[in-house]
Amino acid sequence: MKQLIAALMALILALTGAQTAPARTDAALTAFSFNHGGMSMDQIFSYAVYGRDGRMLADFDLYCRYEIEGVELDAADVEALRELIDENDLWSWNGFQKSNSYVLDGDSFGLSASFADGTELSAWGSNAYPKGYSAGAQAICAYFEALMEKYGIDPERMEMVGSE
């Protein structure tokens, strides 16, 4: 009987679109990405952090013009990103998948994070956003802008992708 009730509850949650409580973990961050799309090039960017050969690296793809890849991060950089996830409750975004079909232009976002214990955090939206999106997105952008400053990355002083 308990199994039947549990199955019915799961079916009701699935049919109504209700989400279960977001997964949380204290495990180490192993990968992170955030992308933003929009109607103009200055609204299009993506940031990524990932592990390779025992190192944590960051990539920046900015405004359809600049690609900066393989910036090596130190442990403090990675821990600061891990803390950003908790402090801005990006966990509450987990499972968010919505699109506002009434908006013909606008913007979109995607977020993913992976952790050492296998926990995954994932969200996306097109002209639809989870609670706390504005503050969270601003914190993410500020974090990656601070990384660029720390590591002396100035996209405006770099050659554009595809230029000779």
Side-chain angles (χ1 to χ4, degrees), residues 55-79:
R55 302 175 303 151
M56 291 299 283
L57 306 172
D59 292 350
F60 307 82
D61 190 350
L62 306 169
Y63 324 121
C64 301
R65 294 184 298 221
Y66 309 107
E67 291 180 11
I68 302 100
E69 298 178 339
V71 176
E72 188 167 354
L73 304 180
D74 61 32
D77 297 328
V78 179
E79 182 56 29

PDB file of all heavy atoms in Angstrom, residues 55-79:
ATOM      1  N   ARG A  55      44.332  19.662 -12.947  1.00  0.00           N
ATOM      2  CA  ARG A  55      44.250  21.119 -12.768  1.00  0.00           C
ATOM      3  C   ARG A  55      42.822  21.573 -13.042  1.00  0.00           C
ATOM      4  O   ARG A  55      42.097  20.941 -13.778  1.00  0.00           O
ATOM      5  CB  ARG A  55      45.200  21.836 -13.733  1.00  0.00           C
ATOM      6  CG  ARG A  55      46.642  21.421 -13.581  1.00  0.00           C
ATOM      7  CD  ARG A  55      47.542  22.057 -14.638  1.00  0.00           C
ATOM      8  NE  ARG A  55      47.068  21.718 -15.977  1.00  0.00           N
ATOM      9  CZ  ARG A  55      47.230  22.486 -17.049  1.00  0.00           C
ATOM     10  NH1 ARG A  55      47.831  23.647 -16.958  1.00  0.00           N
ATOM     11  NH2 ARG A  55      46.771  22.111 -18.231  1.00  0.00           N
ATOM     12  N   MET A  56      42.442  22.692 -12.456  1.00  0.00           N
ATOM     13  CA  MET A  56      41.147  23.305 -12.748  1.00  0.00           C
ATOM     14  C   MET A  56      41.409  24.493 -13.667  1.00  0.00           C
ATOM     15  O   MET A  56      42.260  25.344 -13.388  1.00  0.00           O
ATOM     16  CB  MET A  56      40.440  23.748 -11.471  1.00  0.00           C
ATOM     17  CG  MET A  56      39.976  22.587 -10.597  1.00  0.00           C
ATOM     18  SD  MET A  56      38.772  21.485 -11.384  1.00  0.00           S
ATOM     19  CE  MET A  56      37.276  22.456 -11.256  1.00  0.00           C
ATOM     20  N   LEU A  57      40.656  24.523 -14.767  1.00  0.00           N
ATOM     21  CA  LEU A  57      40.846  25.537 -15.800  1.00  0.00           C
ATOM     22  C   LEU A  57      39.547  26.295 -16.035  1.00  0.00           C
ATOM     23  O   LEU A  57      38.461  25.790 -15.754  1.00  0.00           O
ATOM     24  CB  LEU A  57      41.288  24.868 -17.103  1.00  0.00           C
ATOM     25  CG  LEU A  57      42.506  23.964 -17.016  1.00  0.00           C
ATOM     26  CD1 LEU A  57      42.721  23.227 -18.324  1.00  0.00           C
ATOM     27  CD2 LEU A  57      43.747  24.744 -16.630  1.00  0.00           C
ATOM     28  N   ALA A  58      39.678  27.488 -16.594  1.00  0.00           N
ATOM     29  CA  ALA A  58      38.511  28.301 -16.929  1.00  0.00           C
ATOM     30  C   ALA A  58      38.582  28.728 -18.388  1.00  0.00           C
ATOM     31  O   ALA A  58      39.670  28.996 -18.913  1.00  0.00           O
ATOM     32  CB  ALA A  58      38.441  29.534 -16.041  1.00  0.00           C
ATOM     33  N   ASP A  59      37.420  28.776 -19.022  1.00  0.00           N
ATOM     34  CA  ASP A  59      37.273  29.290 -20.382  1.00  0.00           C
ATOM     35  C   ASP A  59      36.281  30.443 -20.356  1.00  0.00           C
ATOM     36  O   ASP A  59      35.323  30.430 -19.584  1.00  0.00           O
ATOM     37  CB  ASP A  59      36.726  28.223 -21.335  1.00  0.00           C
ATOM     38  CG  ASP A  59      37.687  27.081 -21.602  1.00  0.00           C
ATOM     39  OD1 ASP A  59      38.867  27.171 -21.222  1.00  0.00           O
ATOM     40  OD2 ASP A  59      37.230  26.083 -22.195  1.00  0.00           O
ATOM     41  N   PHE A  60      36.510  31.404 -21.232  1.00  0.00           N
ATOM     42  CA  PHE A  60      35.643  32.564 -21.372  1.00  0.00           C
ATOM     43  C   PHE A  60      35.337  32.711 -22.866  1.00  0.00           C
ATOM     44  O   PHE A  60      36.251  32.769 -23.670  1.00  0.00           O
ATOM     45  CB  PHE A  60      36.354  33.837 -20.901  1.00  0.00           C
ATOM     46  CG  PHE A  60      36.938  33.738 -19.527  1.00  0.00           C
ATOM     47  CD1 PHE A  60      38.176  33.139 -19.312  1.00  0.00           C
ATOM     48  CD2 PHE A  60      36.266  34.263 -18.436  1.00  0.00           C
ATOM     49  CE1 PHE A  60      38.725  33.055 -18.049  1.00  0.00           C
ATOM     50  CE2 PHE A  60      36.806  34.181 -17.164  1.00  0.00           C
ATOM     51  CZ  PHE A  60      38.030  33.572 -16.969  1.00  0.00           C
ATOM     52  N   ASP A  61      34.082  32.761 -23.225  1.00  0.00           N
ATOM     53  CA  ASP A  61      33.670  32.996 -24.610  1.00  0.00           C
ATOM     54  C   ASP A  61      32.785  34.236 -24.559  1.00  0.00           C
ATOM     55  O   ASP A  61      31.674  34.194 -24.034  1.00  0.00           O
ATOM     56  CB  ASP A  61      32.909  31.787 -25.148  1.00  0.00           C
ATOM     57  CG  ASP A  61      32.658  31.861 -26.639  1.00  0.00           C
ATOM     58  OD1 ASP A  61      32.897  32.928 -27.247  1.00  0.00           O
ATOM     59  OD2 ASP A  61      32.197  30.860 -27.200  1.00  0.00           O
ATOM     60  N   LEU A  62      33.298  35.329 -25.092  1.00  0.00           N
ATOM     61  CA  LEU A  62      32.670  36.621 -24.865  1.00  0.00           C
ATOM     62  C   LEU A  62      32.215  37.306 -26.146  1.00  0.00           C
ATOM     63  O   LEU A  62      33.033  37.558 -27.050  1.00  0.00           O
ATOM     64  CB  LEU A  62      33.647  37.544 -24.125  1.00  0.00           C
ATOM     65  CG  LEU A  62      34.230  36.970 -22.828  1.00  0.00           C
ATOM     66  CD1 LEU A  62      35.365  37.839 -22.324  1.00  0.00           C
ATOM     67  CD2 LEU A  62      33.153  36.812 -21.785  1.00  0.00           C
ATOM     68  N   TYR A  63      30.929  37.587 -26.223  1.00  0.00           N
ATOM     69  CA  TYR A  63      30.341  38.484 -27.212  1.00  0.00           C
ATOM     70  C   TYR A  63      30.579  38.049 -28.657  1.00  0.00           C
ATOM     71  O   TYR A  63      30.641  38.886 -29.548  1.00  0.00           O
ATOM     72  CB  TYR A  63      30.844  39.910 -27.000  1.00  0.00           C
ATOM     73  CG  TYR A  63      31.036  40.250 -25.540  1.00  0.00           C
ATOM     74  CD1 TYR A  63      32.275  40.640 -25.054  1.00  0.00           C
ATOM     75  CD2 TYR A  63      29.985  40.104 -24.627  1.00  0.00           C
ATOM     76  CE1 TYR A  63      32.461  40.919 -23.713  1.00  0.00           C
ATOM     77  CE2 TYR A  63      30.164  40.380 -23.287  1.00  0.00           C
ATOM     78  CZ  TYR A  63      31.411  40.788 -22.835  1.00  0.00           C
ATOM     79  OH  TYR A  63      31.600  41.051 -21.507  1.00  0.00           O
ATOM     80  N   CYS A  64      30.720  36.759 -28.888  1.00  0.00           N
ATOM     81  CA  CYS A  64      30.962  36.212 -30.231  1.00  0.00           C
ATOM     82  C   CYS A  64      32.247  36.761 -30.850  1.00  0.00           C
ATOM     83  O   CYS A  64      32.422  36.732 -32.063  1.00  0.00           O
ATOM     84  CB  CYS A  64      29.782  36.495 -31.163  1.00  0.00           C
ATOM     85  SG  CYS A  64      28.210  35.830 -30.598  1.00  0.00           S
ATOM     86  N   ARG A  65      33.156  37.259 -30.000  1.00  0.00           N
ATOM     87  CA  ARG A  65      34.387  37.858 -30.513  1.00  0.00           C
ATOM     88  C   ARG A  65      35.645  37.323 -29.856  1.00  0.00           C
ATOM     89  O   ARG A  65      36.687  37.283 -30.492  1.00  0.00           O
ATOM     90  CB  ARG A  65      34.374  39.377 -30.314  1.00  0.00           C
ATOM     91  CG  ARG A  65      33.340  40.102 -31.120  1.00  0.00           C
ATOM     92  CD  ARG A  65      33.469  41.591 -30.918  1.00  0.00           C
ATOM     93  NE  ARG A  65      33.234  41.915 -29.510  1.00  0.00           N
ATOM     94  CZ  ARG A  65      32.541  42.940 -29.091  1.00  0.00           C
ATOM     95  NH1 ARG A  65      32.007  43.772 -29.947  1.00  0.00           N
ATOM     96  NH2 ARG A  65      32.365  43.164 -27.815  1.00  0.00           N
ATOM     97  N   TYR A  66      35.562  36.967 -28.594  1.00  0.00           N
ATOM     98  CA  TYR A  66      36.776  36.635 -27.860  1.00  0.00           C
ATOM     99  C   TYR A  66      36.633  35.258 -27.213  1.00  0.00           C
ATOM    100  O   TYR A  66      35.642  34.994 -26.549  1.00  0.00           O
ATOM    101  CB  TYR A  66      37.047  37.665 -26.753  1.00  0.00           C
ATOM    102  CG  TYR A  66      37.011  39.084 -27.239  1.00  0.00           C
ATOM    103  CD1 TYR A  66      35.941  39.917 -26.923  1.00  0.00           C
ATOM    104  CD2 TYR A  66      38.046  39.591 -28.025  1.00  0.00           C
ATOM    105  CE1 TYR A  66      35.896  41.226 -27.364  1.00  0.00           C
ATOM    106  CE2 TYR A  66      38.005  40.901 -28.475  1.00  0.00           C
ATOM    107  CZ  TYR A  66      36.928  41.715 -28.145  1.00  0.00           C
ATOM    108  OH  TYR A  66      36.892  43.000 -28.590  1.00  0.00           O
ATOM    109  N   GLU A  67      37.647  34.431 -27.404  1.00  0.00           N
ATOM    110  CA  GLU A  67      37.697  33.130 -26.749  1.00  0.00           C
ATOM    111  C   GLU A  67      39.005  33.043 -25.978  1.00  0.00           C
ATOM    112  O   GLU A  67      40.078  33.161 -26.560  1.00  0.00           O
ATOM    113  CB  GLU A  67      37.632  31.998 -27.769  1.00  0.00           C
ATOM    114  CG  GLU A  67      36.297  31.862 -28.451  1.00  0.00           C
ATOM    115  CD  GLU A  67      36.279  30.728 -29.468  1.00  0.00           C
ATOM    116  OE1 GLU A  67      37.233  29.914 -29.500  1.00  0.00           O
ATOM    117  OE2 GLU A  67      35.315  30.671 -30.235  1.00  0.00           O
ATOM    118  N   ILE A  68      38.878  32.858 -24.687  1.00  0.00           N
ATOM    119  CA  ILE A  68      40.044  32.685 -23.827  1.00  0.00           C
ATOM    120  C   ILE A  68      39.895  31.309 -23.209  1.00  0.00           C
ATOM    121  O   ILE A  68      38.887  31.036 -22.545  1.00  0.00           O
ATOM    122  CB  ILE A  68      40.113  33.776 -22.728  1.00  0.00           C
ATOM    123  CG1 ILE A  68      40.162  35.174 -23.365  1.00  0.00           C
ATOM    124  CG2 ILE A  68      41.321  33.548 -21.844  1.00  0.00           C
ATOM    125  CD1 ILE A  68      38.868  35.887 -23.372  1.00  0.00           C
ATOM    126  N   GLU A  69      40.852  30.436 -23.431  1.00  0.00           N
ATOM    127  CA  GLU A  69      40.721  29.047 -22.987  1.00  0.00           C
ATOM    128  C   GLU A  69      41.881  28.629 -22.098  1.00  0.00           C
ATOM    129  O   GLU A  69      43.009  29.086 -22.278  1.00  0.00           O
ATOM    130  CB  GLU A  69      40.660  28.120 -24.202  1.00  0.00           C
ATOM    131  CG  GLU A  69      39.461  28.379 -25.088  1.00  0.00           C
ATOM    132  CD  GLU A  69      39.432  27.486 -26.306  1.00  0.00           C
ATOM    133  OE1 GLU A  69      40.487  26.952 -26.703  1.00  0.00           O
ATOM    134  OE2 GLU A  69      38.336  27.322 -26.870  1.00  0.00           O
ATOM    135  N   GLY A  70      41.577  27.743 -21.176  1.00  0.00           N
ATOM    136  CA  GLY A  70      42.595  27.080 -20.381  1.00  0.00           C
ATOM    137  C   GLY A  70      43.315  27.939 -19.367  1.00  0.00           C
ATOM    138  O   GLY A  70      44.491  27.725 -19.098  1.00  0.00           O
ATOM    139  N   VAL A  71      42.626  28.896 -18.752  1.00  0.00           N
ATOM    140  CA  VAL A  71      43.221  29.718 -17.702  1.00  0.00           C
ATOM    141  C   VAL A  71      43.266  28.872 -16.436  1.00  0.00           C
ATOM    142  O   VAL A  71      42.225  28.437 -15.934  1.00  0.00           O
ATOM    143  CB  VAL A  71      42.410  31.006 -17.476  1.00  0.00           C
ATOM    144  CG1 VAL A  71      42.984  31.803 -16.317  1.00  0.00           C
ATOM    145  CG2 VAL A  71      42.352  31.827 -18.756  1.00  0.00           C
ATOM    146  N   GLU A  72      44.462  28.624 -15.928  1.00  0.00           N
ATOM    147  CA  GLU A  72      44.601  27.767 -14.745  1.00  0.00           C
ATOM    148  C   GLU A  72      44.182  28.524 -13.489  1.00  0.00           C
ATOM    149  O   GLU A  72      44.635  29.638 -13.229  1.00  0.00           O
ATOM    150  CB  GLU A  72      46.035  27.270 -14.596  1.00  0.00           C
ATOM    151  CG  GLU A  72      46.165  26.237 -13.498  1.00  0.00           C
ATOM    152  CD  GLU A  72      47.491  25.491 -13.516  1.00  0.00           C
ATOM    153  OE1 GLU A  72      48.268  25.684 -14.449  1.00  0.00           O
ATOM    154  OE2 GLU A  72      47.720  24.726 -12.565  1.00  0.00           O
ATOM    155  N   LEU A  73      43.298  27.897 -12.723  1.00  0.00           N
ATOM    156  CA  LEU A  73      42.794  28.477 -11.488  1.00  0.00           C
ATOM    157  C   LEU A  73      43.512  27.894 -10.296  1.00  0.00           C
ATOM    158  O   LEU A  73      43.945  26.742 -10.323  1.00  0.00           O
ATOM    159  CB  LEU A  73      41.289  28.203 -11.363  1.00  0.00           C
ATOM    160  CG  LEU A  73      40.409  28.671 -12.515  1.00  0.00           C
ATOM    161  CD1 LEU A  73      38.952  28.328 -12.228  1.00  0.00           C
ATOM    162  CD2 LEU A  73      40.577  30.154 -12.770  1.00  0.00           C
ATOM    163  N   ASP A  74      43.606  28.672  -9.227  1.00  0.00           N
ATOM    164  CA  ASP A  74      44.161  28.126  -7.995  1.00  0.00           C
ATOM    165  C   ASP A  74      43.004  27.612  -7.118  1.00  0.00           C
ATOM    166  O   ASP A  74      41.828  27.811  -7.430  1.00  0.00           O
ATOM    167  CB  ASP A  74      45.047  29.143  -7.270  1.00  0.00           C
ATOM    168  CG  ASP A  74      44.328  30.417  -6.847  1.00  0.00           C
ATOM    169  OD1 ASP A  74      43.118  30.359  -6.525  1.00  0.00           O
ATOM    170  OD2 ASP A  74      44.978  31.478  -6.819  1.00  0.00           O
ATOM    171  N   ALA A  75      43.348  26.940  -6.046  1.00  0.00           N
ATOM    172  CA  ALA A  75      42.339  26.330  -5.177  1.00  0.00           C
ATOM    173  C   ALA A  75      41.374  27.367  -4.611  1.00  0.00           C
ATOM    174  O   ALA A  75      40.175  27.106  -4.462  1.00  0.00           O
ATOM    175  CB  ALA A  75      43.013  25.556  -4.048  1.00  0.00           C
ATOM    176  N   ALA A  76      41.876  28.567  -4.309  1.00  0.00           N
ATOM    177  CA  ALA A  76      41.015  29.623  -3.764  1.00  0.00           C
ATOM    178  C   ALA A  76      39.964  30.064  -4.783  1.00  0.00           C
ATOM    179  O   ALA A  76      38.823  30.360  -4.417  1.00  0.00           O
ATOM    180  CB  ALA A  76      41.856  30.812  -3.312  1.00  0.00           C
ATOM    181  N   ASP A  77      40.339  30.093  -6.066  1.00  0.00           N
ATOM    182  CA  ASP A  77      39.378  30.464  -7.114  1.00  0.00           C
ATOM    183  C   ASP A  77      38.235  29.465  -7.167  1.00  0.00           C
ATOM    184  O   ASP A  77      37.065  29.844  -7.259  1.00  0.00           O
ATOM    185  CB  ASP A  77      40.062  30.491  -8.491  1.00  0.00           C
ATOM    186  CG  ASP A  77      41.147  31.525  -8.610  1.00  0.00           C
ATOM    187  OD1 ASP A  77      41.047  32.586  -7.977  1.00  0.00           O
ATOM    188  OD2 ASP A  77      42.116  31.261  -9.367  1.00  0.00           O
ATOM    189  N   VAL A  78      38.581  28.194  -7.119  1.00  0.00           N
ATOM    190  CA  VAL A  78      37.570  27.138  -7.217  1.00  0.00           C
ATOM    191  C   VAL A  78      36.685  27.137  -5.973  1.00  0.00           C
ATOM    192  O   VAL A  78      35.462  27.019  -6.073  1.00  0.00           O
ATOM    193  CB  VAL A  78      38.226  25.765  -7.443  1.00  0.00           C
ATOM    194  CG1 VAL A  78      37.174  24.661  -7.513  1.00  0.00           C
ATOM    195  CG2 VAL A  78      39.073  25.778  -8.716  1.00  0.00           C
ATOM    196  N   GLU A  79      37.284  27.330  -4.822  1.00  0.00           N
ATOM    197  CA  GLU A  79      36.502  27.371  -3.584  1.00  0.00           C
ATOM    198  C   GLU A  79      35.560  28.576  -3.582  1.00  0.00           C
ATOM    199  O   GLU A  79      34.418  28.479  -3.117  1.00  0.00           O
ATOM    200  CB  GLU A  79      37.413  27.414  -2.365  1.00  0.00           C
ATOM    201  CG  GLU A  79      36.679  27.398  -1.027  1.00  0.00           C
ATOM    202  CD  GLU A  79      35.741  26.216  -0.835  1.00  0.00           C
ATOM    203  OE1 GLU A  79      35.976  25.121  -1.398  1.00  0.00           O
ATOM    204  OE2 GLU A  79      34.737  26.386  -0.104  1.00  0.00           O
TER     205      GLU A  79
END
